[in-house]
Amino acid sequence: PQVDVLPNEPFELAVMPGAYNVTFQPTTAPAETASDTAVARPPITFVVDLVASDLDLGELSYPAAVALMTVTGRVLVASTGMPVVGADLQGAAWPEDASSDDAPNDAELLRSTSATTDSDGRYTLVFPPGATRLDITLRPGTDNAVLPETTFYDVLVADGQAADLLLDVDAEPFQLAARLVDRNGQPVAEASVLFQSDVGELDQPARYTLKVTSDATGSVAAPLFHGTYDVLIAPLPQAAAASQRLVLCVPGSDDVGQGQDDAEDCEGV
């Protein structure tokens, strides 16, 4: 169950007795004065055990702004140093009391606020108090869907400044153009084409997923990074064509620092 909570007001939830993770997802705190800026606030999870005789959570206190941990940094293309613009980021961290030999489960991780990289590739994330061993996940953003999803583990942070996050993919994706036709050579319009591949280098793997739709002439256009793609083509039910799966290799280029020729990249595909 979920409920909206007003400041300093009680709230009620219909729950059964048991152990719960109660997560508060605050809105951005307004600026206290005209010269201040609004403060982004991360979600905080409280672990509670409710028994049938006492279903009262009591008072749950959200940390003061000064106790929160703010991390700033940049996301860059590894081969060129150019900023990655419009990427969505969110962090996850181990709590400071976690054992180094026993990774916390998903519910125990401390989640940061979300952020979108600006024109310089910069971002700011705010973590709950006690955050250690920071991981930052990058996903395609609303303004930049042509990005893989990847997680940067154990990001180094000093005085609130994170080390640069280097996205190891082509600076400019290859622009694939294709045309879908049925067995009679007629265009297959409004077919869904899904591309999926692991891109980047082994030490920083990234998962790229792109879905496009063919136009009235059966044409599709897809920006693709270097990699081997599983492709699913799904025409509309009324189309005179069946769904099809295939493997597509997009070779690397020396111009973007891949260092392999096309034959080696796509050997055996």
Side-chain angles (χ1 to χ4, degrees), residues 8-244:
N8 300 316
E9 293 291 332
F11 65 92
E12 292 184 355
L13 282 172
V15 298
M16 298 290 290
Y20 289 88
N21 293 318
V22 180
T23 299
F24 284 84
Q25 177 63 69
T27 57
T28 297
E32 295 183 359
T33 68
S35 61
D36 291 337
T37 57
V39 178
R41 299 184 294 184
I44 296 289
T45 297
F46 301 90
V47 179
V48 297
D49 192 4
L50 301 175
V51 297
S53 59
D54 185 6
L55 296 179
D56 187 354
L57 288 175
E59 186 174 284
L60 302 175
S61 298
Y62 189 87
V66 294
L68 302 176
M69 176 181 175
T70 299
V71 174
T72 61
R74 297 183 304 169
V75 185
L76 306 174
V77 177
S79 61
T80 64
M82 296 295 292
V84 176
V85 180
D88 285 349
L89 300 175
Q90 188 176 30
W94 288 30
E96 59 186 353
D97 58 354
S99 169
S100 59
D101 298 326
D102 189 13
N105 60 43
D106 191 68
E108 294 171 333
L109 290 172
L110 303 179
R111 306 289 177 181
S112 76
T113 55
S114 299
T116 301
T117 54
D118 63 14
S119 58
D120 294 321
R122 296 189 179 279
Y123 65 89
T124 297
L125 299 174
V126 182
F127 287 83
T132 63
R133 295 188 63 170
L134 275 56
D135 301 334
I136 297 178
T137 297
L138 178 149
R139 296 183 177 90
T142 303
D143 298 327
N144 188 355
V146 186
L147 286 172
E149 178 175 331
T150 187
T151 298
F152 301 89
Y153 295 98
D154 289 338
V155 176
L156 297 177
V157 178
D159 297 326
Q161 180 66 44
D164 289 343
L165 306 181
L166 302 179
L167 188 61
D168 200 1
V169 296
D170 306 335
E172 293 293 336
F174 174 79
Q175 299 295 326
L176 173 73
R179 187 165 179 262
L180 306 181
V181 296
D182 62 21
R183 66 184 64 183
N184 298 316
Q186 297 301 306
V188 180
E190 298 185 57
S192 172
V193 185
L194 178 66
F195 299 88
Q196 292 184 308
S197 178
D198 292 324
V199 299
E201 298 301 320
L202 293 178
D203 58 349
Q204 185 56 56
R207 185 68 172 171
Y208 184 52
T209 301
L210 181 70
K211 186 177 181 181
V212 298
T213 302
S214 61
D215 63 15
T217 68
S219 298
V220 295
L224 301 176
F225 297 103
H226 164 61
T228 301
Y229 288 80
D230 294 319
V231 184
L232 173 62
I233 304 172
L236 292 174
Q238 62 268 32
S243 296
Q244 183 178 0

